[in-house]
């Protein structure tokens, strides 16, 4: 069965919304989407459910309520982490690993986001995170694991 996938631009054009609004709906978990490379893709079924206002987890019942995160849904955290790196190759490895962790996160962590910035003149990677307490706990633990010196290593 061939699925039809739409880009954020396609969805914005179809629904007569701004692209940033569609991206916000994805970030908030109101519109289901999958990350393909750096771009979001929305399949036709998920778009249809979004337009109809139905929640697939509620047996197809109509809902305009925001999806609820069962774990600490009333708390969101944001943080900025600056990581000193030896070279930009090391920085890219850290960013790629963190992106993989974000994309593999458990659905119960709810909506979350990550941005990364390479600051070459300072040999630094800046990672900005937003999400639930459990999401943040796991992402910060991953950063700690990636950046802490291994036994016998000098800093």
């Amino acid at each position: 069965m061939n699925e039809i996938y739409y880009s954020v631009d396609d969805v914005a054009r179809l629904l007569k919304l701004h692209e940033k609004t569609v991206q916000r709906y994805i970030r908030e978990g109101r519109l289901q989407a999958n990350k393909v490379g750096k771009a979001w893709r929305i399949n036709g079924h998920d778009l249809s459910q979004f337009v109809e206002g139905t929640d697939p987890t509620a047996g197809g019942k109509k809902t305009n309520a925001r999806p609820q995160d069962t774990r600490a849904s009333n708390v969101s955290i944001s943080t900025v982490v600056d990581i000193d790196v030896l070279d930009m190759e090391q920085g890219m490895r850290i960013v790629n690993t963190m992106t993989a962790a974000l994309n593999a996160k458990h659905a119960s962590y709810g909506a979350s986001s990550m941005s990364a910035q390479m600051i070459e003149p300072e040999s630094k990677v800046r990672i900005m995170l937003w999400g639930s307490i459990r999401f943040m706990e796991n992402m910060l633990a991953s950063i700690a694991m990636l950046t802490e010196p291994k036994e016998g290593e000098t800093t």
Side-chain angles (χ1 to χ4, degrees):
M1 179 161 120
N2 289 339
E3 283 282 337
I4 297 173
Y5 287 88
Y6 299 93
S7 68
V8 169
D9 291 342
D10 293 337
V11 172
R13 202 171 24 261
L14 286 168
L15 301 180
K16 296 183 172 112
L17 296 170
H18 194 277
E19 293 88 2
K20 296 283 185 186
T21 303
V22 175
Q23 290 171 344
R24 187 180 78 237
Y25 288 161
I26 292 169
R27 205 174 40 250
E28 291 173 348
R30 295 168 64 180
L31 174 59
Q32 295 298 310
N34 296 306
K35 195 109 184 211
V36 178
K38 292 183 179 183
W40 288 102
R41 294 289 180 252
I42 301 99
N43 77 30
H45 179 71
D46 290 334
L47 179 59
S48 174
Q49 287 189 323
F50 174 78
V51 170
E52 293 170 7
T54 57
D55 181 357
T57 61
K61 296 178 186 167
K62 285 237 178 215
T63 178
N64 290 326
R66 202 172 154 185
Q68 292 297 312
D69 180 2
T70 58
R71 303 169 117 191
S73 62
N74 59 340
V75 178
S76 294
I77 299 171
S78 63
T79 191
V80 176
V81 181
D82 283 345
I83 305 167
D84 292 327
V85 293
L86 299 173
D87 54 28
M88 286 301 109
E89 186 177 316
Q90 180 189 25
M92 285 303 298
R93 278 195 305 272
I94 291 170
V95 170
N96 288 340
T97 303
M98 295 308 298
T99 301
L102 171 72
N103 290 335
K105 75 176 175 68
H106 195 276
S108 67
Y109 293 168
S112 57
S113 67
M114 180 186 95
S115 299
Q117 181 181 22
M118 304 293 273
I119 308 170
E120 289 190 59
E122 298 177 32
S123 296
K124 215 174 264 228
V125 171
R126 178 167 289 151
I127 298 177
M128 290 126 323
L129 297 165
W130 173 85
S132 69
I133 292 173
R134 298 289 177 242
F135 166 76
M136 201 65 69
E137 176 182 43
N138 284 317
M139 293 298 277
L140 292 175
S142 296
I143 291 171
M145 184 179 66
L146 289 169
T147 59
E148 288 176 348
K150 292 164 186 60
E151 194 173 314
E153 247 183 19
T154 58
T155 55

